[in-house]
Amino acid sequence: MPDSISPADGALARRLTVALCVALLTTFAWALYRYTANFDVWTFEGRRQLALQAGELRAAQVPLREMHDAPVTLWGGTNSPPAAYLVDFIYTRCPSVCRVLGDEYQQMQTQLAAQRASSPASAAVHLVSISFDAQHDDPASLREYAREHRIDPALWTLAIPATAADTRALMRSLDVIAIPDGLGGFVHNGAIHLLDASGRLRGLYEFDQWPQALEAAKQLAAARRDGP
């Protein structure tokens, strides 16, 4: 028969178990403390706001293809890029937030078109909608979305990254998440991203805050124009 555990060995085992539990709880608490920024931030969007304030988020410069399947380069890729970009992430089959964003971008486009002749700041703002649904959003789908929302390419670029890897890199660089919903669509960020000419994230706005986003973009463009 195996030897029975002595009282001393049992007490030692219990102390080791308690010590292990304490160590695990301490490690978990420390990780939670770091992840939630001293227990102040509990949501993913809250963490994005902290990263934005720290200047840590910059859009990756990946190859894009627009609705006519031509390559297009944004933020920092031209000799004279727009001073400010307002960027959202969509997929054209989306029946909800993407449609709302499309309507709001159409309103912003109308305002920019009316103001660009008299306002250099408005002329330096460019709208961008990027699809992350490479499986379904071919050029024909993008053109149909553009037709529905009366996209003027001079003011509003509709594009999709060239490859799935490019899509992941771009979305990861801005901490944008899109998760399959099990019904053929996605649950995803519906924010409007304000980027400067180099692609650095300068502001985050909820989709119903488009007037504030547009005003902030014009202010950013004016500051760049009036700067040294």
Side-chain angles (χ1 to χ4, degrees), residues 91-93 131-142 160 183-186:
Y91 63 107
T92 62
R93 297 175 300 116
S131 170
F132 51 79
D133 187 9
Q135 183 176 356
H136 297 95
D137 281 346
D138 56 12
S141 298
L142 296 182
I160 189 167
L183 301 173
F186 298 89

Side-chain angles (χ1 to χ4, degrees), residues 17-211:
T17 299
V18 170
L20 179 60
C21 290
V22 169
L24 289 173
L25 286 172
T26 300
T27 301
F28 175 77
W30 173 246
L32 191 61
Y33 175 81
R34 293 291 301 276
Y35 184 79
T36 60
N38 307 346
F39 301 123
D40 288 334
V41 178
W42 292 92
T43 66
F44 184 82
E45 284 302 320
R47 286 183 55 79
R48 279 220 302 172
Q49 287 289 346
L50 285 181
L52 161 65
Q53 293 167 18
E56 297 173 351
L57 299 178
R58 184 191 297 270
Q61 190 175 346
V62 300
L64 299 168
R65 302 194 72 81
E66 50 88 70
M67 58 185 171
H68 296 292
D69 206 28
V72 59
T73 302
L74 302 172
W75 41 86
T78 64
N79 293 330
S80 182
Y85 298 89
L86 290 172
V87 183
D88 66 349
F89 290 84
I90 64 161
Y91 63 107
T92 62
R93 297 175 300 116
C94 175
S96 54
V97 66
C98 301
R99 294 290 165 179
V100 175
L101 281 165
D103 292 341
E104 292 173 348
Y105 265 56
Q106 193 172 350
Q107 293 182 68
M108 288 194 284
Q109 177 179 254
T110 298
Q111 290 194 22
L112 291 175
Q115 297 167 359
R116 61 179 172 177
S118 60
S119 170
S122 295
V125 175
H126 195 71
L127 307 176
V128 182
S129 292
I130 296 178
S131 170
F132 51 79
D133 187 9
Q135 183 176 356
H136 297 95
D137 281 346
D138 56 12
S141 298
L142 296 182
R143 288 194 297 271
E144 177 61 21
Y145 185 91
R147 184 194 65 77
E148 290 178 3
H149 293 92
R150 300 178 181 179
I151 289 179
D152 178 354
L155 298 168
W156 181 1
T157 294
L158 175 63
I160 189 167
T163 68
D166 293 329
T167 300
R168 289 192 295 271
L170 177 56
M171 295 177 72
R172 189 183 305 118
S173 68
L174 294 174
D175 280 349
V176 176
I177 291 179
I179 303 172
D181 61 9
L183 301 173
F186 298 89
V187 177
H188 64 99
N189 304 75
I192 298 172
H193 304 73
L194 172 58
L195 308 184
D196 64 19
S198 69
R200 185 177 297 280
L201 184 64
R202 294 298 195 93
L204 276 173
Y205 301 87
E206 297 298 328
F207 65 87
D208 58 351
Q209 295 179 312
W210 68 265

